[in-house]
């Protein structure tokens, strides 16, 4: 018979928010090392995707073309060698990738089947993606915590912002989002669908394309419980006791599949992407999938061209 003690053994204890925050801050150097290792695995297949367009940040000078306007000529640069040059700026909206990670207590879950807690894996994924984006010359920002960063050490700087962020339930701050930018949301997305839709609606209205990465512990998919088990919500403290938990396994699996199908439908309807990552799998797998989705996003940007 599996009781409360066995359930507690399967789930890592949930600490107080202050203790959790200190633990994450102390572990960030190790997370950075792991993130760079993971990023190196997929870096060979990652290509820069900078494109010219409307924006304020200088990108490059290029020779004047017959279809260019006279107002686009940079006369100071052209005077250097008696050739006409156009000053191009980056298409900033298309080159800003915002990152967000769920910092709620439910993300602290780690069973004996997992390689890491959901939160630790989510942080590694965020920093590894920032490392890849920075290597490709992309602008990357931590939603609600930093401005977009265009620098090779973007991952390190985002880690510093993460170290000073509070642990707890927090929805994405959508005020910085703009049309044609990308947003990668990493969490478990186990809230009720109606609540999730309310959180995602401002992102839809902002014209931002989102990529949802659902990070789950393997026991959250397999439900390997039997006998009398007490479950506790790590965020509300609510407890629920099941007798003969094994009899509820099939119903649980069906509910989880239905919840995931709804998430996928929401993403498809908005033109977004959705993928699931289990913490007993290598972290490089979702990064490869995100690479394909972000690369596809750039290929659809009007006027954008691969560098």
């Amino acid at each position: 018979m599996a009781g409360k003690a066995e359930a507690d053994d399967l789930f890592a204890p949930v600490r107080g928010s202050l203790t959790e925050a200190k633990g994450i801050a102390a572990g960030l150097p190790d997370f950075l090392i792991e993130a760079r290792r993971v990023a190196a695995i997929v870096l060979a297949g990652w290509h820069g995707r900078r494109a010219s367009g409307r924006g304020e940040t200088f990108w490059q000078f290029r020779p004047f073309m017959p279809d260019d306007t006279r107002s686009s000529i940079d006369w100071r640069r052209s005077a250097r060698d008696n050739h006409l040059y156009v000053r191009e700026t980056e298409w900033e909206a298309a080159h800003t990738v915002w990152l967000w990670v769920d910092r709620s207590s439910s993300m602290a879950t780690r069973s004996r089947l997992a390689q890491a807690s959901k939160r630790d894996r989510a942080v590694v994924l965020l920093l590894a993606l920032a490392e890849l984006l920075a290597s490709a010359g992309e602008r990357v920002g931590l939603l609600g915590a930093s401005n977009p960063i265009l620098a090779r050490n973007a991952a390190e700087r985002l880690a510093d912002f993460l170290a000073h962020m509070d642990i707890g339930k927090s929805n994405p701050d959508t005020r910085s989002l703009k049309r044609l930018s990308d947003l990668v949301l990493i969490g478990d997305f186990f809230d009720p669908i109606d609540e999730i839709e309310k959180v995602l609606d401002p992102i839809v209205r902002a014209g931002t394309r989102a990529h949802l990465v659902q990070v789950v512990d393997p026991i959250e998919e397999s439900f390997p419980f039997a006998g009398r088990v007490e479950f506790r919500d790590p965020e509300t403290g609510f407890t629920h006791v099941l007798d003969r938990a094994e009899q509820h396994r099939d119903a649980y699996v069906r509910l989880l599949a239905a919840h995931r199908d709804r998430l996928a439908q929401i993403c498809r309807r908005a033109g977004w992407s959705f993928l699931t990552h289990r913490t007993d799998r290598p972290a490089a797998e979702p990064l490869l999938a995100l690479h394909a989705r972000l690369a596809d996003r750039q290929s659809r940007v009007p006027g954008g061209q691969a560098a």
Side-chain angles (χ1 to χ4, degrees):
M1 298 283 286
K4 184 176 184 299
E6 182 173 337
D8 287 341
D9 179 59
L10 283 168
F11 285 99
V14 179
R15 304 173 178 85
S17 60
L18 180 60
T19 303
E20 290 181 81
K22 289 181 178 179
I24 289 179
L28 279 170
D30 292 334
F31 292 158
L32 264 174
I33 293 173
E34 175 66 9
R36 285 168 176 157
R37 183 192 69 80
V38 174
I41 297 175
V42 298
L43 190 57
W46 189 273
H47 300 288
R49 297 180 284 109
R50 302 179 74 179
S52 62
R54 299 179 298 275
E56 299 177 356
T57 304
F58 170 73
W59 178 27
Q60 67 176 4
F61 289 112
R62 65 166 175 79
F64 179 81
M65 304 294 290
D67 57 347
D68 290 325
T69 62
R70 288 178 58 85
S71 62
S72 66
I73 298 174
D74 189 287
W75 296 104
R76 179 176 297 181
R77 174 64 183 87
S78 300
R80 294 180 188 176
D81 52 11
N82 296 321
H83 289 284
L84 295 179
Y85 289 94
V86 171
R87 180 186 181 91
E88 286 193 325
T89 56
E90 291 185 37
W91 192 325
E92 294 188 1
H95 291 279
T96 300
V97 180
W98 293 101
L99 307 177
W100 177 87
V101 63
D102 184 357
R103 304 184 304 279
S104 60
S105 296
S106 67
M107 292 292 288
T109 299
R110 179 182 180 178
S111 74
R112 63 190 179 205
L113 305 177
Q115 298 178 5
S117 72
K118 295 191 294 184
R119 184 186 291 149
D120 288 357
R121 178 56 58 83
V123 170
V124 167
L125 289 175
L126 183 147
L127 295 176
L129 184 57
E131 184 79 6
L132 288 172
L133 292 167
S135 299
E138 301 284 5
R139 184 180 289 102
V140 58
L142 189 60
L143 191 65
S146 78
N147 292 323
I149 299 170
L150 183 61
R152 184 62 185 82
N153 66 340
E156 184 176 346
R157 292 167 63 178
L158 293 189
D160 185 60
F161 283 108
L162 280 171
H164 295 89
M165 293 179 70
D166 294 332
I167 299 298
K169 192 70 175 178
S170 177
N171 292 328
D173 184 344
T174 60
R175 291 174 295 179
S176 300
L177 297 178
K178 296 181 181 179
R179 183 174 175 270
L180 297 179
S181 58
D182 283 276
L183 169 62
V184 178
L185 299 158
I186 307 174
D188 55 19
F189 300 104
F190 281 150
D191 291 323
I193 288 294
D194 290 346
E195 294 182 15
I196 294 176
E197 286 186 310
K198 289 179 181 179
V199 171
L200 298 181
D201 183 63
I203 302 173
V204 175
R205 288 188 278 108
T208 299
R209 187 188 188 196
H211 311 267
L212 275 62
V213 182
Q214 185 184 43
V215 179
V216 299
D217 190 283
I219 66 167
E220 292 173 332
E221 290 198 327
S222 59
F223 199 80
F225 302 104
R228 181 181 175 85
V229 183
E230 178 182 292
F231 298 91
R232 181 169 68 90
D233 187 323
E235 295 177 12
T236 66
F238 175 78
T239 60
H240 182 69
V241 177
L242 285 180
D243 291 314
R244 300 181 179 178
E246 68 278 5
Q247 295 183 355
H248 299 269
R249 185 174 298 125
D250 291 343
Y252 171 86
V253 171
R254 286 195 300 270
L255 286 172
L256 177 61
H259 182 85
R260 189 168 289 165
D261 286 344
R262 287 287 305 279
L263 285 173
Q265 290 172 12
I266 292 170
C267 291
R268 284 196 299 269
R269 188 168 63 242
W272 297 352
S273 67
F274 172 75
L275 62 92
T276 300
H277 171 63
R278 283 175 39 154
T279 51
D280 60 342
R281 300 292 303 167
E285 291 180 353
L287 281 182
L288 286 166
L290 280 171
H291 160 251
R293 286 156 175 76
L294 288 167
D296 177 69
R297 172 70 176 93
Q298 174 62 18
S299 69
R300 296 171 184 266
V301 172
Q305 59 184 27

